[in-house]
């Protein structure tokens, strides 16, 4: 304990304003403490883990990062029951000093409901900004432990993992000739809403007093206060990690019972039981349907201890030749014995519903505006499916979009002929006809914007993350760094200057300090440096905010 330096806001604070904070130094300091937590957890020194967690949650650097996270994410403008948001630099800096454990009492959640895909309503609890920041702070100390103890084939809400990794793991366990042929599709009924508070308090390795306060804070709906007796709030920053830790252990339980067995000296028996989980959705493979019927009661018993139950509506047993939907993909082995993973029919249906909704709600908009609304939706959907067998689906989606756009164009000019409408809205680009193109003026010059075509997307191979990797363990730093570079290299294969900029900036946006991921929208900007201008790679949203701030400052100066 003597070598653990306890730091707090009064001793490690180096800056006087929010704009002065050196975010690299904050991140480096927190990374070091998280690495020490991982080391202590791996060595089984749980007292040291607890002491290091206390150190981290009382650090100015960690508090600053927690405030930064809740003020820069998508929900930063959504207020809790106190209707307060931290929108100014002064408010953000003041918030850092308010993140104290002593005397802290969370306020009730603001309950709203959002529609699910099946038409039902999902309850969402929105904490106040301070409660979100406190959860983000304690999450910094809990995540290293959660990653170290997590199931290796769990991929939801974990740093460095995604649905792509879960999909590839499904391919790994189901694609061979000798692979299991039966799948138990599991779905937990109201996972976030029914987790046992008693189990969480007894088993989650974090500050029990803080955890209990968040679990028991209640929620406000229609100006009436309700208590919370079970579950973690959907909307809380720490909730996904708590849910993951609740379900961790299922893979270990199955592995202990269904490990490979030696029948005699020459024969080995493989039960072929594998678990792939993404948050509360999971599949379990088995040799036969009878084997899965034996496994299902074990899973139910495991969940019952944690206050959870399987959804009878969504839990089913399927043969691989029939195929099943998982995370928006359809996974099926065809008659030739080949396993193909394609976009699910339901996924295409939802995508087209969104596209048609945008077109129908912009019947009177300019063609340029419509294209600008459609392109981000198309790119986002394509990026999700471009590393599976999706060419046929992309071609079908292109045709459906064309049909809808043709209907949109004909409706605008009911008295014009088909040839006139086609010439007005569609043009030929290289060897392709019927390209939906809008011409416009930009800085006095003629320019044009083209609607993205899904079939133009190159199908790429995705490399699955190693199951045992841990992004908080320094031993895996090189692996994750090379993995990010590989992803960006594949994404920017024909754009070498952008790849050079990304490497030069170490993958960080200079305006917000957040990583630039391949799934983000970003571009280049120019910053005036001495003695010349230099390009920077930045998020689109950061560039827009920066340009807006510059315009406001220029207007202020000109008014003076």
């Amino acid at each position: 304990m003597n070598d653990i330096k306890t730091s707090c806001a009064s001793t490690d604070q180096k800056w006087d304003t929010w704009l002065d904070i050196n975010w690299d130094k904050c991140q480096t300091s927190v990374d070091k403490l998280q690495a020490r937590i991982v080391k202590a957890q791996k060595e089984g020194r749980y007292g040291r883990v607890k002491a290091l967690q206390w150190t981290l949650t009382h650090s100015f650097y960690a508090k600053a990062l927690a405030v930064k996270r809740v003020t820069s994410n998508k929900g930063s403008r959504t207020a809790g029951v106190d209707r307060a948001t931290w929108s100014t630099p002064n408010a953000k800096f003041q918030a850092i000093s308010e993140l104290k454990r002593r005397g802290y009492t969370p306020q009730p959640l603001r309950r709203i409901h959002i529609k699910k895909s099946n038409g039902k309503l999902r309850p969402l609890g929105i904490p106040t900004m301070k409660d979100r920041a406190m959860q983000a702070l304690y999450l910094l100390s809990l995540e290293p432990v959660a990653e170290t103890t997590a199931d290796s084939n769990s991929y939801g809400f974990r740093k460095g993992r995604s649905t792509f990794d879960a999909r590839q793991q499904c391919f790994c366990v189901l694609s061979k000739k000798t692979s299991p042929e039966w799948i138990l599709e599991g779905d937990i009924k109201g996972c976030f809403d029914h987790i046992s508070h008693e189990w969480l308090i007894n088993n989650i390795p974090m500050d029990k007093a803080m955890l209990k306060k968040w679990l028991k804070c209640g929620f406000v709906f229609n100006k009436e206060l309700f208590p919370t007796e079970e579950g973690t709030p959907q909307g809380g920053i720490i909730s996904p990690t708590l849910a993951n830790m609740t379900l961790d252990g299922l893979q270990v339980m199955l592995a202990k019972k269904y490990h490979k067995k030696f029948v005699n000296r020459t024969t080995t028996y493989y039960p072929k039981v594998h678990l792939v989980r993404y948050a509360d959705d999971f599949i379990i493979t088995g040799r036969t349907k009878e084997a899965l019927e034996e496994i299902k009661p074990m899973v139910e018993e495991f969940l019952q201890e944690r206050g959870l139950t399987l959804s009878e509506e969504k839990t089913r047993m399927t043969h691989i030749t029939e195929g099943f939907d998982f995370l928006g993909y359809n996974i099926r082995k065809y008659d030739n014995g080949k396993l193909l993973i394609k976009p699910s029919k339901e996924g295409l249906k939802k995508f087209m519903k969104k596209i048609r909704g945008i077109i129908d709600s912009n019947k009177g908009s300019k063609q340029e505006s419509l294209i600008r609304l459609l392109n981000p939706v198309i790119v986002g959907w394509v990026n999700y499916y471009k590393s599976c067998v999706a060419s046929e689906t992309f071609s079908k989606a292109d045709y459906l979009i064309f049909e809808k756009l043709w209907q949109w164009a004909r409706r605008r000019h009911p008295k014009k002929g088909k040839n006139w409408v086609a010439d007005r809205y569609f043009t030929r680009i290289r060897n392709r006809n019927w390209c939906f193109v809008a011409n416009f003026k930009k800085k006095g010059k003629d320019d044009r914007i083209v609607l993205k075509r899904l079939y133009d997307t190159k199908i790429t191979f995705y490399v699955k993350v190693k199951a045992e990797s841990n992004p908080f363990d320094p031993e895996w730093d090189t692996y994750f760094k090379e993995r990010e570079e590989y992803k960006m290299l594949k994404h920017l294969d024909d754009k070498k200057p952008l790849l050079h900029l990304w490497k030069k900036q170490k993958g960080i946006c200079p305006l917000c300090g957040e990583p630039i991921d391949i799934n983000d929208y970003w571009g280049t900007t120019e910053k005036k440096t001495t003695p010349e201008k230099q390009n920077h790679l930045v998020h689109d949203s950061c560039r827009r905010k920066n340009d807006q701030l510059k315009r406001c400052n220029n207007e202020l100066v000109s008014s003076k």
Side-chain angles (χ1 to χ4, degrees):
M1 289 291 292
N2 294 333
D3 60 334
I4 298 176
K5 180 182 177 182
T6 57
S7 58
C8 59
S10 60
T11 58
D12 61 6
Q13 179 175 336
K14 308 293 182 184
W15 307 283
D16 298 320
T17 67
W18 178 261
L19 299 176
D20 292 335
I21 295 176
N22 185 331
W23 296 110
D24 288 340
K25 186 171 183 180
C26 291
Q27 191 64 58
T28 302
S29 176
V30 170
D31 287 346
K32 286 180 180 177
L33 275 173
Q34 288 178 326
R36 292 169 69 186
I37 291 172
V38 170
K39 183 181 178 183
Q41 180 68 31
K42 287 166 69 176
E43 294 172 352
R45 301 169 66 185
Y46 305 118
R48 184 172 177 81
V49 169
K50 189 175 180 180
L52 286 166
Q53 285 180 320
W54 190 95
T55 303
L56 183 56
T57 54
H58 288 72
S59 164
F60 174 85
Y61 301 126
K63 291 178 180 180
L65 287 176
V67 173
K68 182 185 178 186
R69 175 173 179 174
V70 301
T71 55
S72 60
N73 60 18
K74 291 181 180 179
S76 59
R77 296 182 183 180
T78 306
V81 291
D82 61 353
R83 300 293 175 180
T85 57
W86 299 332
S87 54
T88 65
N90 287 340
K92 295 174 187 178
F93 193 76
Q94 180 63 31
I96 298 174
S97 61
E98 294 174 1
L99 301 185
K100 295 178 180 178
R101 182 183 185 277
R102 181 175 294 179
Y104 169 71
T105 303
Q107 291 183 269
L109 306 168
R110 182 164 71 91
R111 172 63 62 90
I112 61 172
H113 292 87
I114 57 175
K115 269 192 176 182
K116 296 167 70 173
S117 57
N118 59 7
K120 296 181 180 178
L121 294 176
R122 173 184 283 123
L124 194 68
I126 303 174
T128 63
M129 292 295 289
K130 182 177 179 180
D131 293 336
R132 270 179 263 175
M134 286 295 282
Q135 288 187 23
L137 174 62
Y138 278 81
L139 181 59
L140 288 172
S141 68
L142 180 62
E143 267 190 315
V145 179
E147 281 293 329
T148 308
T149 60
D151 287 345
S152 59
N153 287 323
S154 162
Y155 298 97
F157 303 116
R158 292 179 62 186
K159 189 177 179 181
R161 300 184 179 222
S162 67
T163 52
F164 306 144
D165 298 298
R167 181 201 65 214
Q168 286 302 106
Q169 180 62 18
C170 290
F171 184 84
C172 291
V173 299
L174 294 169
S175 60
K176 301 180 182 67
K177 287 184 179 179
T178 56
S179 294
E181 295 183 341
W182 282 90
I183 295 94
L184 171 66
E185 303 172 62
D187 184 88
I188 300 168
K189 190 176 181 179
C191 180
F192 282 86
D193 300 325
H194 297 106
I195 299 175
S196 167
H197 284 182
E198 183 181 355
W199 191 92
L200 287 171
I201 293 168
N202 292 336
N203 292 276
I204 300 298
M206 65 170 290
D207 191 317
K208 308 295 183 185
M210 295 295 291
L211 178 59
K212 192 171 183 179
K213 286 179 180 180
W214 289 325
L215 295 176
K216 301 293 185 182
C217 66
F219 65 90
V220 174
F221 184 65
N222 288 338
K223 298 182 180 180
E224 188 176 349
L225 178 63
F226 296 88
T228 46
E229 301 297 336
E230 60 180 4
T232 61
Q234 293 194 51
I237 286 178
I238 203 170
S239 295
T241 301
L242 294 178
N244 258 339
M245 296 186 79
T246 302
L247 299 175
D248 283 334
L250 182 58
Q251 180 180 325
V252 175
M253 181 193 74
L254 293 172
K256 282 181 180 178
K257 183 169 177 62
Y258 296 100
H259 58 278
K260 64 181 180 181
K261 301 174 184 177
F262 292 94
V263 179
N264 52 50
R265 292 185 179 181
T266 58
T267 307
T268 307
Y269 171 70
Y270 293 92
K272 299 184 181 179
V273 175
H274 303 280
L275 170 76
V276 182
R277 180 169 67 84
Y278 188 91
D280 59 338
D281 292 328
F282 63 89
I283 65 162
I284 299 175
T285 64
R287 276 177 176 269
T288 62
K289 187 175 183 180
E290 290 72 23
L292 293 179
E293 287 173 347
E294 179 187 310
I295 290 171
K296 188 178 177 182
M298 294 172 55
V299 175
E300 289 174 334
E301 185 181 345
F302 175 88
L303 296 175
Q304 188 177 4
E305 183 186 345
R306 292 153 173 78
L308 302 171
T309 56
L310 285 175
S311 169
E312 293 298 328
E313 179 187 342
K314 297 180 181 178
T315 302
R316 60 180 71 90
M317 295 179 194
T318 313
H319 195 270
I320 190 62
T321 55
E322 296 176 16
F324 64 97
D325 289 350
F326 185 57
L327 304 176
Y329 300 97
N330 180 261
I331 304 172
R332 180 184 170 190
K333 187 173 280 188
Y334 291 81
D335 294 337
N336 58 3
K338 196 168 186 178
L339 184 86
L340 297 181
I341 301 179
K342 301 180 179 181
S344 67
K345 291 181 179 178
E346 188 63 28
L348 177 60
K349 186 178 177 182
K350 288 180 183 176
F351 171 67
M352 286 309 305
K353 184 179 179 181
K354 190 170 184 179
I355 291 291
R356 290 184 180 114
I358 293 172
I359 295 173
D360 286 339
S361 59
N362 288 273
K363 291 176 180 176
S365 300
K366 291 182 180 179
Q367 185 183 11
E368 176 195 346
S369 302
L370 182 62
I371 293 174
R372 291 189 189 280
L373 289 171
L374 291 174
N375 274 349
V377 178
I378 292 171
V379 170
W381 198 78
V382 161
N383 284 342
Y384 188 79
Y385 289 108
K386 69 179 180 181
S387 50
C388 71
V389 184
S391 294
E392 188 179 326
T393 307
F394 287 170
S395 179
K396 183 178 180 180
D398 279 329
Y399 175 71
L400 293 174
I401 292 172
F402 166 77
E403 275 192 328
K404 189 64 183 176
L405 290 173
W406 180 247
Q407 181 188 27
W408 174 88
R410 289 294 306 277
R411 181 190 174 278
R412 291 166 71 90
H413 306 282
K415 296 182 181 180
K416 297 290 185 180
K418 292 181 180 179
N419 291 337
W420 187 94
V421 174
D423 291 339
R424 171 69 176 78
Y425 292 102
F426 298 88
T427 189
R428 180 182 177 88
I429 297 179
R430 294 175 186 171
N431 61 341
R432 185 187 306 138
N433 293 319
W434 299 97
C435 295
F436 196 65
V437 179
N439 298 307
F440 63 97
K441 293 279 186 180
K442 184 178 181 182
K443 295 181 180 178
K445 297 181 180 179
D446 291 332
D447 205 345
R448 70 179 184 179
I449 183 169
V450 184
L451 184 75
K452 299 286 184 183
R453 191 166 178 262
L454 286 82
Y455 193 73
D456 289 341
T457 305
K458 184 180 178 182
I459 302 299
T460 58
F461 179 73
Y462 181 83
V463 180
K464 188 182 83 72
V465 69
K466 289 185 178 179
E468 66 277 12
S469 62
N470 184 344
F472 296 97
D473 191 338
E475 293 178 8
W476 291 95
D477 283 351
T478 304
Y479 169 76
F480 279 104
K481 184 178 179 182
E482 290 175 352
R483 183 171 171 79
E484 284 302 312
E485 286 189 7
Y486 171 77
K487 285 182 184 178
M488 217 46 162
L489 180 63
K490 294 280 284 184
H491 189 66
L492 299 176
D493 195 25
D494 56 343
K495 301 172 183 176
K496 301 294 183 184
L498 293 181
L499 182 64
H500 173 72
L501 282 177
W502 183 81
K503 286 183 177 181
K504 187 177 180 180
Q505 296 172 199
K506 298 179 181 178
I508 301 296
C509 172
L511 297 180
C512 68
E514 294 294 322
I516 297 176
D517 189 70
I518 60 171
N519 296 319
D520 295 328
Y521 296 111
W522 40 262
T524 57
T525 186
E526 285 187 350
K527 274 193 170 183
K528 288 186 177 179
T529 57
T530 304
E532 58 186 358
K533 289 185 177 181
Q534 183 179 0
N535 281 332
H536 288 265
L537 206 63
V538 297
H539 294 115
D540 276 352
S541 57
C542 297
R543 177 179 53 78
R544 286 194 295 270
K545 286 179 184 177
N546 194 51
D547 291 344
Q548 187 178 7
L549 185 62
K550 283 181 180 178
R551 284 196 298 271
C552 291
N553 289 337
N554 291 336
E555 289 173 5
L556 186 63
V557 170
S558 61
S559 64
K560 289 182 178 179

